[in-house]
Amino acid sequence: MDRPWSRVPSWVGPALQPELAGTIDGIIAAVRAEVPEYARPLTGRFGARITEGVSVALGQFLDLLGRDDPLGDATVYRALGQLEHREGRTLAALQTAYQVGTRTLWQRLAASTTARRLPADVIFNLAEALFGYIEQITAASVAGWADEEASQAGSLQARRHALVELLARPTPPAPAELERAAAAAGWTVPARVAALVVDDAVAVAARLPGAVGADLDPVGLVVVAARGEADAAWLDRVRGAAGERRAVLGPLVEPAQAHRSAALAQSAWPLHAAGRLNGDAPLVRADEHLLPLLLAAAPELAAALTGRALAPLRTLPAGAAARAEETLRAWLDAHGDVTATAAALHVHPQTVRYRLAALRETFGGALDDPAARLELAVALRAGATCECP
């Protein structure tokens, strides 16, 4: 089935050849008339290539008739597909051109003196040979077009990867360097950007207009453009692109300061990946969790602070210590409001007063000292957000 031309008598090709003398010009005229992408003067490289392509294809087809040979080297047709991509013509245009050319050639074949003398079964075999031949050379050209598409896409993504790394580099790029890298990556430098740390960064970036992404190790980075829209709308776009993936969004900054946004988002990623910033929420904003990031950046200091500030709790029995910590946390969160503390703990305000009296005995004057209260609040926060020894 891959050599349908073998079933056509060998004398048919030579007999048809003189009758198809003007067919090449007819095929080219039909393609130019019916496919807008090819409606241009036949001058220069374009004219030479299309004329040569049609001539070679027709000559090879006539030569194959009656022979049990495969199509052979399809490099020329694969190269044609690659060239068509480089010229900016679409795959649909290329396939349409083949269809128009095939129809035009068949009309010329069917109208020839030789074809009118052929038995019906030979006419059928000739048609099958033509359409089988065109199918094979079309497939080769489509493969060449797809190869070029993949190659250019890969090259473009490599340049975008380099651009993301440049933006995330600790040393800000010079304006001219950034403009060159952006132009090479096909990216227009926006007024404001934010870094988004997320898995599948390239896929996420593709869903955000004006974004570029790179799948870095250990987690990807997307540089998101802000387009002057309201903060809530912009955040909704980012959240929609990330989907259910865990992601950390850095603050909005000028492009020259993108490394600051990236560094903050990247520092928050391990905490968010471990569920220690906002539970199961897929997307968090790094600048809303600065205290946990500060504590995580200095774990030994956080552990020392926690150990010292909460040392009095270790003098209590386990159950009493847990209840005292719960009460202390709620009281600090309520800024010393007994009624609000009672509501948070689901107990009577008088119960809170009793517990506070016990806490004052345990912690001495710490509850009435602003600096000591701050240390207690930070220590309790550190225990919730840091893996402090």
Side-chain angles (χ1 to χ4, degrees), residues 91-104:
L91 183 58
L94 176 62
Q95 292 174 310
T96 302
Y98 270 117
Q99 292 166 3
V100 171
T102 303
R103 186 179 69 245
T104 304

Side-chain angles (χ1 to χ4, degrees), residues 45-378:
R45 186 175 63 174
F46 170 77
R49 188 172 67 247
I50 192 171
T51 302
E52 180 184 12
V54 174
S55 177
V56 169
L58 177 59
Q60 184 180 50
F61 171 68
L62 294 175
D63 287 344
L64 282 171
L65 293 178
R67 294 165 54 184
D68 191 22
D69 295 336
L71 178 61
D73 187 7
T75 303
V76 63
Y77 305 109
R78 181 179 289 269
L80 176 62
Q82 292 174 317
L83 286 170
E84 291 302 282
H85 188 287
R86 291 169 194 159
E87 290 285 333
R89 282 181 282 277
T90 65
L91 183 58
L94 176 62
Q95 292 174 310
T96 302
Y98 270 117
Q99 292 166 3
V100 171
T102 303
R103 186 179 69 245
T104 304
L105 176 55
W106 176 247
Q107 290 170 347
R108 296 295 181 94
L109 284 171
S112 69
T113 302
T114 299
R116 286 198 293 268
R117 298 202 310 264
L118 296 175
D121 60 327
V122 176
I123 285 287
F124 175 81
N125 288 337
L126 181 61
E128 188 177 34
L130 174 62
F131 293 109
Y133 171 74
I134 296 298
E135 181 179 357
Q136 291 188 39
I137 65 173
T138 301
S141 291
V142 168
W145 193 98
D147 284 348
E148 189 66 19
E149 171 79 2
S151 174
Q152 290 193 16
S155 177
L156 177 62
Q157 184 52 46
R159 295 192 294 272
R160 290 183 172 177
H161 187 110
L163 173 63
V164 171
E165 289 187 327
L166 178 68
L167 289 165
R169 193 176 68 188
T171 304
E177 182 184 13
L178 176 56
E179 288 292 345
R180 283 195 300 271
W187 189 60
T188 301
V189 180
R192 305 274 283 173
V193 298
L196 179 72
V197 175
V198 64
D199 283 323
D200 300 323
V202 173
V204 172
R207 291 192 284 274
L208 284 168
V212 285
D215 292 320
L216 306 178
D217 184 22
V219 65
L221 182 66
V222 178
V223 178
V224 186
R227 302 182 299 182
E229 60 202 308
D231 186 66
W234 176 78
L235 189 59
D236 282 344
R237 282 201 303 114
V238 175
R239 185 177 287 111
E244 294 303 311
R245 302 173 180 83
R246 281 192 180 271
V248 179
L249 182 64
L252 275 167
V253 295
E254 295 179 356
Q257 298 299 313
H259 63 288
R260 291 180 47 247
S261 184
L264 190 60
Q266 287 169 331
S267 66
W269 172 256
L271 292 178
H272 186 43
R276 303 210 312 267
L277 286 187
N278 199 14
D280 294 329
L283 178 70
V284 299
R285 303 188 74 166
D287 51 2
E288 293 178 353
H289 300 275
L290 296 180
L291 179 58
L293 296 184
L294 181 63
L295 295 170
E300 292 184 0
L301 289 177
L305 174 63
T306 301
R308 189 188 71 180
L310 301 181
L313 291 178
R314 293 197 291 273
T315 66
L316 303 175
R323 186 169 57 253
E325 180 177 340
E326 179 187 40
T327 302
L328 179 60
R329 188 189 303 275
W331 181 73
L332 289 169
D333 288 347
H335 306 289
D337 186 319
V338 171
T339 303
T341 303
L345 296 174
H346 306 290
V347 299
H348 194 277
Q350 189 60 34
T351 302
V352 174
R353 294 188 182 95
Y354 286 137
R355 292 185 184 181
L356 284 174
L359 283 170
R360 283 191 165 87
E361 290 182 9
T362 302
F363 283 91
L367 270 62
D368 299 312
D369 180 81
R373 284 200 307 271
L374 177 60
E375 287 191 359
L376 285 170
V378 171

Side-chain angles (χ1 to χ4, degrees), residues 31-49:
V31 169
R32 293 177 62 213
E34 298 186 39
V35 188
E37 288 86 343
Y38 291 87
R40 52 183 290 192
L42 292 176
T43 56
R45 186 175 63 174
F46 170 77
R49 188 172 67 247

